[in-house]
Amino acid sequence: MSISFEGRVAIVTGAGGGLGRAHALELARRGAKVVVNDFGGARDGTGGSTAAAQAVVDEIRSGGGEAIADGGNVTSASDMEAMAAAALQAFGRIDVLINNAGILRDRTFAKMDMADFAAVVAVHLLGSANATKAVWETMRAQKYGRVLMTSSTSGVYGNFGQSNYGAAKAGLIGLMNVLHFEGEKYGIRVNAVLPTAATRMTGDMLDEQTLAHLAPENVTPAALYLVSEEAPSRTALLAGAGTVSRMAIVETEGVFLPQSQRTPEAVAAAFADLARLDNAIETEAGLAHVERIIARAKAAAIAAA
C-alpha cells in the first residue's frame, strides 16, 4: 500500500522545526498542500516570529511543493480561526490537522509557579482544542477529516518535573477519545502520536549518542499513517528510535463486592485480585464500562434473590 496525500490540504502547528517540520516536509513530498504554522517563540513560549515557518515553506516550495506560512498562536482561538480561513482561501479545503505546537517549563510541582503550569496546559491542550475547533466544521461539512494529537509518555506514564506537561498531554488522550465519537459519522478520524524524539524541547536532556537515534524523522511515519485516508481512529501510537508500538488504556476485570462488604477494608483485602492484569479489558467507551458493571451488579442481585 502506498500512502499519498495528493489533493489533500494539511495544517501542521509548531512546524517551524523538530517534529512539526519533519511532518510538514514529508506531507509535502507525498503531495499535500501544507499550512506551516509556527508562532516562532522560544522553548518556553516567549517571543514570536514567522521566520521559522517561512523557512519551512521555502524548503517545501524549493522541492516543488505548495505551502503557506502562518504565525498564529495556538492559544488564541481567533488566530486559529484566521489560520483555517487562510488555508481555505489558499487551497479550498482542510483535510488534515496535526496538533504539534508545544512549549516546556519544567520544574518540580513544589517549585512551579502556577502561571507556568497554566501556560503549558494552554499551549498543548487548549491550543490543540483551539486548532481543532477551527477546522472541525469544515471537516464535518466535507465529510472527511484527519486530526492528530501529539501526546507524550510523560502524560500516560509520568515523568519527574513535568506535572504541567504531563497533565496537558494526558488531557489530549481524553480529547482524542471524545472527538473520535463526535467525528465518526462525519468521516473524521482522530488519533494520537506519542513521540520520543530529539527536538529543541528535548535536545539538552540527552547525550549525543542517544540523540542520534532520536531524529524527529523517525516519528513521522507513524504520524502520517495516523492522518492517512486508511487511518484507524481513536488509536495512540508511540514512535521513536525506529520502534512503533500501540498504547492502550485497559482496566482489570475487577472484584464484585456484595452490599454488606462495600467497605475500605474489603477493597484493601481484595486489592491484589482486583489489580491483576491477567484478564485486562480494553473498554470501547465510558458507557461500555458503566454497562459492564451494572450488568454484573444485576446478575449478582438475581443470584442472591
Side-chain angles (χ1 to χ4, degrees):
M1 178 181 68
S2 178
I3 292 178
S4 171
F5 291 90
E6 289 289 342
R8 299 297 185 191
V9 176
I11 297 173
V12 185
T13 68
L19 289 165
R21 173 182 172 275
H23 300 341
L25 291 175
E26 187 61 22
L27 282 164
R29 276 193 287 266
R30 290 174 177 263
K33 299 176 177 67
V34 184
V35 177
V36 179
N37 163 268
D38 202 294
F39 181 59
R43 187 170 72 169
D44 65 358
T46 57
S49 166
T50 59
Q54 188 59 51
V56 177
V57 167
D58 293 343
E59 198 171 352
I60 289 172
R61 289 175 177 171
S62 69
E66 295 184 59
I68 61 172
D70 179 82
N73 188 333
V74 296
T75 65
S76 166
S78 60
D79 278 9
M80 293 298 94
E81 289 165 4
M83 178 186 70
L88 290 172
Q89 182 175 12
F91 303 128
R93 59 185 292 119
I94 302 170
D95 300 288
V96 171
L97 169 66
I98 297 181
N99 288 301
N100 174 75
I103 64 171
L104 282 179
R105 295 189 183 181
D106 291 356
R107 298 199 70 155
T108 62
F109 192 63
K111 296 179 180 179
M112 184 176 293
D113 188 303
M114 288 310 292
D116 287 337
F117 193 102
V120 170
V121 172
V123 172
H124 290 274
L125 179 55
L126 300 182
S128 295
N130 285 335
T132 304
K133 180 67 172 176
V135 305
W136 195 252
E137 287 307 314
T138 295
M139 290 181 173
R140 277 170 37 115
Q142 66 195 18
K143 301 289 186 183
Y144 184 92
R146 299 290 183 266
V147 177
L148 186 66
M149 308 297 178
T150 302
S151 184
S152 172
T153 53
S154 291
V156 296
Y157 303 136
N159 198 30
F160 187 89
Q162 292 193 315
S163 57
N164 49 6
Y165 184 77
K169 291 304 193 182
L172 287 169
I173 297 297
L175 183 58
M176 172 195 75
N177 285 335
V178 173
L179 293 186
H180 156 74
F181 291 111
E182 295 188 6
E184 194 171 20
K185 71 177 182 179
Y186 299 101
I188 303 173
R189 299 179 189 175
V190 187
N191 295 297
V193 66
L194 290 74
T196 301
T199 69
R200 182 179 64 159
M201 293 208 301
T202 61
D204 60 358
M205 301 177 185
L206 304 165
D207 62 81
E208 287 188 15
Q209 186 176 10
T210 301
L211 291 173
H213 294 289
L214 296 176
E217 290 77 10
N218 290 330
V219 176
T220 295
L224 265 59
Y225 168 65
L226 291 173
V227 294
S228 67
E229 189 168 340
E230 299 304 319
S233 192
R234 199 190 177 212
T235 297
L237 296 182
L238 302 105
T243 294
V244 180
S245 56
R246 179 167 172 255
M247 190 281 296
I249 298 172
V250 300
E251 60 181 284
T252 66
E253 184 178 1
V255 172
F256 180 79
L257 300 174
Q259 185 70 46
S260 61
Q261 297 178 31
R262 292 174 192 172
T263 65
E265 292 79 11
V267 174
F271 182 78
D273 289 330
L274 67 85
R276 289 171 60 112
L277 288 168
D278 304 54
N279 297 307
I281 300 163
E282 187 176 357
T283 303
E284 294 180 359
L287 287 178
H289 166 80
V290 174
E291 291 169 358
R292 184 172 70 83
I293 63 173
I294 293 296
R296 196 170 187 181
K298 288 180 176 178
I302 292 170

